[in-house]
Amino acid sequence: MEIPLQISDCLGMDSIKSIEKELLGSDLSELIKAATKEVHVLAENTQLMLSYQKGQVTLTQYKLLLCSLFEIYQVLEEELDRNAEHPAVQPIYFPQELARLEPLQKDLEHFLGPQWRKKISVPAATHNYTQRLREIGKNSPELLVAHAYTRYLGDLSGGQVLGKITQKSLGLTGSDGVAFFSFPGVTSPNRFKQLYRSRMNSIEMTEEQRREVLEEAIRAFQLNIDVFDDLQKMLSITEEASGSDATCRIESRSFSSSPVLQFALGVGITLATVGMGVYAF
């Protein structure tokens, strides 16, 4: 499934080639950081992300966020496991330190009970993301590097901050409901991120493969920005219709790009969500 880049021409192939020329000889991690600089800022400054960082997260919002995170990490980690011996994946394969699926399961059970799996369905935007992960896991496993780097290091960087915000906003105590933000296998996030970058930079890639990884990193941010925008538009409708007891029963449906049609969908249509960390790579 081909998902075009939609941010701006400045984030296309010409920009990537220019960055590669300027940073000739630079490590892959530095190239990704430079290539995603603008889209990185856009992601951090979506209305939803800014509201979250201000401590305005609601229980309904958080439940839905956990549901989408579960769907994304389930597929990402399945594809990383399946390609663990691939020369591009093996260096950045840290399941004991980084795997998020088990913590997400604990959080979902805390909020939704033992039958939480029956309350999850795949929303359109999250489905797009997981479809892309399946596609590259099968055909181009080296591109998983871009998604793993974006997700894991983003969540590792923002985990402590967002975890505390969530606890305070929702009145939670201890680790109940916020296991996702905890990385017990990582004793020093800063040192681990240095190790991760070093391992990623050691991956041998052709010039074309490096370009494709940079494009995929931009794509990963775009997929998340699209979902953030949909969530912000529909969240108030969902909360009004469902109240704080809303579950994760989410309908697989795409929202039109037309503002009139988006809001004309009306009460009763649920929404798609995805969570991203504070991208302090």
Side-chain angles (χ1 to χ4, degrees), residues 37-167:
K37 182 178 180 180
E38 293 182 49
V39 66
H40 185 151
V41 172
L42 292 176
E44 286 186 332
N45 286 278
T46 56
Q47 187 174 351
L48 172 62
M49 200 64 224
L50 290 174
S51 295
Y52 199 106
Q53 294 177 53
K54 292 176 182 177
Q56 298 173 348
V57 60
T58 66
L59 182 57
T60 299
Q61 178 184 352
Y62 185 56
K63 287 180 184 178
L64 292 168
L65 184 148
L66 289 174
C67 291
S68 284
L69 283 174
F70 173 79
E71 296 291 344
I72 291 170
Y73 272 110
Q74 178 173 244
V75 176
L76 175 59
E77 293 180 1
E78 284 178 2
E79 293 304 322
L80 289 172
D81 290 345
R82 192 164 63 85
N83 291 283
E85 299 303 318
H86 188 279
V89 175
Q90 192 277 330
I92 52 91
Y93 183 64
F94 291 94
Q96 293 185 345
E97 293 83 359
L98 297 177
R100 296 292 83 203
L101 208 54
E102 185 176 340
L104 282 165
Q105 291 171 342
K106 290 180 179 178
D107 289 341
L108 286 166
E109 184 171 358
H110 173 76
F111 287 111
L112 304 179
Q115 301 299 315
W116 62 269
R117 288 181 182 273
K118 297 180 180 180
K119 300 176 183 179
I120 293 180
S121 60
V122 181
T126 303
H127 181 69
N128 286 342
Y129 197 168
T130 57
Q131 284 285 91
R132 179 60 182 172
L133 291 171
R134 293 287 190 205
E135 177 188 348
I136 63 176
K138 179 180 179 180
N139 301 317
S140 305
E142 65 276 3
L143 299 185
L144 290 171
V145 173
H147 290 279
Y149 177 76
T150 301
R151 280 245 57 101
Y152 286 123
L153 264 65
D155 291 328
L156 182 60
S157 296
Q160 297 298 314
V161 174
L162 294 183
K164 290 178 180 178
I165 290 175
T166 304
Q167 284 181 314

Side-chain angles (χ1 to χ4, degrees), residues 158-217:
Q160 297 298 314
V161 174
L162 294 183
K164 290 178 180 178
I165 290 175
T166 304
Q167 284 181 314
K168 184 176 181 180
S169 298
L170 303 182
L172 304 174
T173 58
S175 61
D176 291 341
V178 289
F180 170 74
F181 299 108
S182 177
F183 289 80
V186 178
T187 56
S188 171
N190 287 333
R191 284 200 297 269
F192 183 83
K193 285 187 288 185
Q194 291 174 358
L195 170 64
Y196 193 96
R197 293 190 196 99
S198 175
R199 296 287 293 273
M200 186 172 72
N201 294 335
S202 73
I203 299 171
E204 293 186 7
M205 290 186 179
T206 65
E207 182 177 336
E208 180 60 26
Q209 286 175 325
R210 283 162 69 93
R211 263 195 213 115
E212 290 174 353
V213 169
L214 298 186
E215 288 182 320
E216 195 65 30

Side-chain angles (χ1 to χ4, degrees), residues 261-275:
L261 291 177
Q262 286 167 345
F263 287 99
L265 291 175
V267 176
I269 296 178
T270 51
L271 54 130
T273 75
V274 67

